[in-house]
Amino acid sequence: MGIKSLTIYCSSSEKLSKDYFDLSEKIGIFLAKKSIRIIYGGGKKGLMGRVSKSSTIIGGEVIGIIPKFLVDKENANYEITETIVVNSMIDRKKKLFDMGDAYLILPGGSGTIEEAAEIISWKILGIHKKDIIIFNYNNFWDPLIKMYENIKIKKFGNKNLQNICIHIKSFQEFIEYFPNE
């Protein structure tokens, strides 16, 4: 597998229930302990902020990529290993794509949905062969999974998410994905 950098797509909302923040914190700590670099959207808010802060506090390497127009809105995080400010969302998404050895999709809003759909489409198209981990915490991604199943059933495509993504529902399943090295 050899994952040294994990791109994480997730929410910037501060209005989530505590369990989502607790999960993000555990993920950040776990990845730091495994010496897996986190590549993420660069903000201090929401799950993005929690996963980056929890990793950084214990010495994890975290790289944030944020477009200029979101620097204030998402509170750009300059307390991480590196913060890269780019010109546009397209530039951000390209760097997030290029810098990750694999992708983790945590619960999130419209931005996360867009990023997930893009990275999944690119895998279907053969643009990359990297692992995509869908963390279906509290069955959050069930509607997305169902939508891809419907696409296959109705013959709009021939792949469902079970074919091309790793599906996990718990933190225990997440840590089991990474081998003990």
Side-chain angles (χ1 to χ4, degrees), residues 16-99:
L16 308 174
S17 64
K18 183 181 181 308
D19 58 328
Y20 288 99
F21 289 106
D22 292 346
L23 174 66
S24 296
E25 188 171 305
K26 289 196 296 191
I27 289 169
I29 291 167
F30 173 79
L31 293 172
K33 287 180 178 177
K34 295 289 278 183
S35 299
I36 296 172
R37 179 185 316 112
I38 293 172
I39 312 296
Y40 85 113
K44 283 186 177 180
K45 291 183 175 182
L47 304 184
M48 284 199 303
R50 188 61 65 94
V51 77
S52 64
K53 183 176 182 178
S54 63
S55 183
T56 301
I57 284 174
I58 66 164
E61 187 177 353
V62 179
I63 298 174
I65 303 161
I66 191 163
K68 288 178 193 173
F69 79 94
L70 287 179
V71 165
D72 293 330
K73 185 176 182 182
E74 289 186 356
N75 291 351
N77 192 349
Y78 295 103
E79 299 163 6
I80 54 179
T81 310
E82 183 179 5
T83 303
I84 302 169
V85 179
V86 295
N87 290 321
S88 68
M89 286 298 283
I90 293 169
D91 295 335
R92 176 198 226 181
K93 291 191 316 180
K94 175 87 167 96
K95 282 204 170 293
L96 288 168
F97 172 74
D98 289 341
M99 294 179 79

Side-chain angles (χ1 to χ4, degrees), residues 23 135-138 168-176:
L23 174 66
F135 203 133
N136 194 18
Y137 185 70
N138 289 339
I168 59 172
K169 289 188 165 212
S170 69
F171 183 69
Q172 184 61 38
E173 288 178 24
F174 177 74
I175 62 176
E176 288 170 3

